[in-house]
């Protein structure tokens, strides 16, 4: 505090230039979504946002028109699929990672290495096989078949290898003294994981939830194959129709892009706040050792 070290002016200038380069595309998208005000033919308007949000606007001929695409329905579909997948993937990956690390499963190390090896294969290689399997599954359980959000979530759950590997490393770095104290108190394996491992693993679980939510929210190849009706589309599929040959509107597309990006940004800010809050909260040994048998 007595000898503060301030960055020189050129360092601030470099940082401002970098921020400008990063924010320029976002500013341009916002500018176009507002009608490109200040350009040669553009003027400030909220008509593109009204169309995306499902409201009618008055065109140049005085007629009231609406957007042919249900953007809010696509947003709801994306939120539903991403949230369900994020919850299930976080829970299943945590249990699988805990079993690999703490349960001394036979050949656990080769299994973990196999999970890591599976990440090198892109999901597009299995598109045909996935479609056939989901179509067969739909004969017995229609809610998990083709053109259903349940089937899409089931397919997404096939990619848990990364999250299992990530949480496995997190659990391996946790101290084992708390778990040993819980076992001395006659706690079961489920109680040990619920009351000891999960509180200690909470930052890793939040990061897993955020990554899985973001991946499912913007995933396109699998969703475009499995979802075949407009009322079942997600945002990633619906965005392509705004720039098709039959309907070409950059302003509405930019408003749609900002709308589709807002849930992930809000979730990121919330999780960032939670991570900072939990990192500043002191951890007491009694919080994790006192487990009721």
């Amino acid at each position: 505090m007595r000898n503060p070290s301030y960055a020189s002016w050129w360092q601030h200038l470099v940082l401002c230039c970098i921020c400008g380069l990063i924010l320029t595309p976002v500013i341009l998208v916002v500018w176009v979504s507002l009608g490109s005000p200040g350009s040669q033919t553009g003027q400030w308007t909220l008509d593109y946002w009204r169309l995306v949000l499902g409201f009618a606007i008055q065109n140049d001929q005085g007629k009231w028109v609406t957007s042919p695409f249900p953007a809010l329905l696509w947003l709801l579909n994306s939120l539903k699929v991403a949230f369900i997948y994020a919850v299930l993937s976080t829970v299943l990956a945590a249990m699988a990672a805990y079993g690999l690390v703490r349960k001394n499963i036979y050949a656990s190390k080769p299994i973990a290495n196999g999970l890591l090896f599976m990440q090198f294969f892109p999901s597009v290689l299995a598109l045909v096989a996935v479609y056939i399997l989901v179509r067969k599954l739909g004969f017995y359980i229609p809610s998990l078949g083709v053109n259903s959000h349940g089937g899409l979530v089931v397919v997404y759950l096939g990619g848990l290898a990364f999250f299992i590997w990530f949480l496995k490393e997190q659990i391996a770095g946790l101290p084992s003294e708390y778990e040993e104290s819980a076992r001395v108190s006659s706690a079961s394996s489920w109680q040990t994981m619920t009351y000891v491992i999960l509180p200690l693993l909470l930052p890793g679980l939040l990061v897993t939830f955020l990554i899985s939510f973001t991946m499912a929210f913007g995933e396109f190849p699998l969703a475009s194959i499995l979802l075949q009706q407009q009322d079942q589309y997600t945002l990633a599929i619906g965005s392509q129709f705004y720039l098709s040959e039959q309907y070409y509107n950059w302003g509405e597309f930019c408003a749609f892009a900002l709308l589709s990006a807002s849930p992930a940004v809000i979730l990121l800010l919330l999780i960032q706040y939670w991570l900072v809050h939990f990192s500043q909260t002191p951890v007491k040994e009694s919080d994790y050792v006192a487990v009721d048998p």
Side-chain angles (χ1 to χ4, degrees):
M1 296 297 296
R2 295 180 180 178
N3 297 314
S5 177
Y6 296 101
S8 57
W9 63 270
W10 64 269
Q11 291 175 319
H12 291 285
L13 180 60
V14 171
L15 292 176
C16 290
C17 292
I18 295 175
C19 292
L21 290 175
I22 296 174
L23 294 177
T24 296
V26 180
I27 295 174
L28 288 176
V29 171
V30 175
W31 179 67
V32 175
S33 69
L34 296 177
S36 304
S39 61
Q40 184 176 1
T41 57
Q43 57 182 354
W44 189 87
T45 180
L46 291 176
D47 287 346
Y48 300 132
W49 282 97
R50 294 190 181 98
L51 289 173
V52 170
L53 295 177
F55 297 102
I57 64 171
Q58 195 172 14
N59 60 13
D60 298 335
Q61 289 75 28
K63 296 181 180 180
W64 290 93
V65 295
T66 58
S67 176
F69 309 120
L72 293 181
L73 178 61
W74 294 344
L75 175 62
L76 180 62
N77 293 338
S78 296
L79 289 175
K80 180 176 70 173
V81 171
F83 182 78
I84 295 175
Y85 169 69
V87 172
L88 293 178
S89 63
T90 303
V91 173
L92 295 176
M95 292 190 294
Y98 179 74
L100 286 176
V101 176
R102 296 293 197 240
K103 288 302 178 180
N104 297 323
I105 298 177
Y106 176 75
S108 60
K109 187 174 181 179
I111 293 176
N113 293 332
L115 292 175
L116 180 63
F117 181 73
M118 290 172 57
Q119 301 305 306
F120 292 97
F121 295 95
S123 60
V124 293
L125 296 177
L127 285 180
V128 177
V130 165
Y131 178 80
I132 295 175
L133 291 175
V134 175
R135 187 178 62 179
K136 294 291 185 180
L137 180 62
F139 292 151
Y140 303 97
I141 309 176
S143 60
L144 300 180
V146 176
N147 199 41
S148 68
H149 295 152
L152 186 62
V153 171
V154 170
V155 172
Y156 287 165
L157 289 175
L160 291 181
F162 169 76
F163 303 116
I164 295 175
W165 178 267
F166 172 74
L167 292 177
K168 182 184 77 69
E169 298 300 320
Q170 298 290 320
I171 295 175
L174 296 178
S176 59
E177 288 80 4
Y178 295 145
E179 298 173 67
E180 295 174 357
S181 300
R183 295 190 185 97
V184 171
S185 302
S186 301
S188 63
S189 299
W190 182 258
Q191 288 175 323
T192 301
M193 180 179 178
T194 303
Y195 297 104
V196 178
I197 295 297
L198 292 184
L200 294 173
L201 198 63
L202 191 56
L205 295 177
L206 289 176
V207 173
T208 302
F209 183 89
L210 175 62
I211 296 176
S212 58
F213 181 91
T214 306
M215 291 176 59
F217 192 79
E219 197 277 333
F220 176 77
L222 291 173
S224 62
I225 295 298
L226 298 178
L227 302 180
Q228 301 173 352
Q229 293 181 0
Q230 190 180 80
D231 59 344
Q232 297 290 328
Y233 285 166
T234 58
L235 288 173
I237 306 176
S239 60
Q240 61 181 332
F241 295 100
Y242 281 96
L243 299 179
S244 62
E245 295 181 359
Q246 293 79 14
Y247 194 88
Y248 198 87
N249 193 324
W250 275 108
E252 195 173 348
F253 175 78
C254 290
F256 179 82
L258 293 173
L259 177 67
S260 62
S262 56
V265 173
I266 294 174
L267 181 63
L268 175 62
L269 294 176
L270 290 176
I271 290 183
Q272 182 181 10
Y273 170 78
W274 289 334
L275 288 175
V276 173
H277 174 72
F278 288 129
S279 64
Q280 294 177 351
T281 302
V283 179
K284 298 179 181 180
E285 183 177 357
S286 60
D287 295 338
Y288 304 108
V289 177
V291 179
D292 296 330

